[in-house]
Amino acid sequence: MLVTTKEMFANAFEKKYAIGAFNIGNLEIIQGVTRACAKHNSAVILGVSKSGLKYAGAGYLKKMIDAAIEETGIDIALHLDHGTDFDIVKEAIAAGFTSVMFDGSHYDYEENVKKTMEVVKYAHDKGVVVEAELGVLAGVEDDINVDSSLATYTDPDQAVDFVQRTGIDSLAIAIGTSHGAYKFKGEAKLDFARLETITKKLELAGHKNFPIVLHGASAVDPHAVELCNKYGGQIKGAAGIPTEMLRKAASMAVCKINMDTDIRLAMTAYIRKHFGENPASFDPRGYLGEAREYIEKSVEDKILNVLGSAGSSINGKSCCL
């Protein structure tokens, strides 16, 4: 069923796992993600960016998600990813989204607080939960393009102040993740000490078990990258977050992990493979069907080896499609 993330995150924090957030934009991605989750009765967050809304349309996406819920019965939160202004937040809520992210990280701190408070009041009045961001992630993804020199880690004391003043339901922090497929030039590093400090300070301030979110947390599957390049791609030097680091984050306060790039790579790799091996092919059901199968396998791997979210859907059918 379509739900908010509140109960999802409460269970995730207590049992030390995370819910996967996968961005969607077409039928095959929605089916691949939700069918994988149904196999393991995992709750899931389906994210839609501003460009995703423009591409597919809120109405089409909502109807496809309704169909996925009817098929699987699992808990699904429909989430606006990186909403940068009030208008896009209102559009998402009007379309039936149960969760919105307001990303005011490009504003100065006080302006971020002010605008986030306005979004929280509007969303909460309509029963919609709000995620916000503090700190700036580097990388390129959809409308996000931040040079690494401008990235800033989240200040723990500021995080406490931000949560208290805005009334948000979850907080996306910057501890070393990055948007896109090129996250690291050298060794991957996440500041787990900062994550722990933020969690402890929030608890001391009366926000026990406050859900933390990691954006830009794709592992950048080497197999998918290899396939892309084998069949004509030029994805050289791509590097993501090691799965063991993501699993550690999920065992701490991180209740939501965003993994958009891995889904894109999975789809692109198998479409390239299909055409490389079947140059005369022109039936979209063939190449999109193969891509959908690999998306499903990729998400299954995330559930079992990164998120630990199997069995987390309270309303699921525990089915295997």
Side-chain angles (χ1 to χ4, degrees), residues 28 267 271 283-295:
E28 288 75 24
M267 184 164 219
I271 289 174
D283 185 347
R285 293 170 297 183
Y287 55 83
L288 291 177
E290 289 182 19
R292 179 179 60 192
E293 288 178 14
Y294 188 61
I295 288 170

Side-chain angles (χ1 to χ4, degrees), residues 144-160:
I144 309 299
N145 190 337
V146 178
D147 187 87
S148 59
S149 64
L150 300 177
T152 57
Y153 280 19
T154 304
D155 177 84
D157 291 320
Q158 201 172 62
V160 174

Side-chain angles (χ1 to χ4, degrees), residues 261-283:
T261 297
D262 280 336
I263 299 301
R264 297 182 182 196
L265 284 172
M267 184 164 219
T268 302
Y270 274 78
I271 289 174
R272 283 190 173 277
K273 180 176 183 292
H274 178 91
F275 282 118
E277 296 175 351
N278 305 277
S281 175
F282 61 87
D283 185 347

Side-chain angles (χ1 to χ4, degrees), residues 1 38 41 68-75 313-317 319:
M1 62 183 296
N41 198 30
I69 291 170
E70 184 176 347
E71 177 182 77
T72 66
I74 58 171
D75 292 337
S313 178
I314 297 171
N315 299 291
K317 297 177 180 177
C319 62

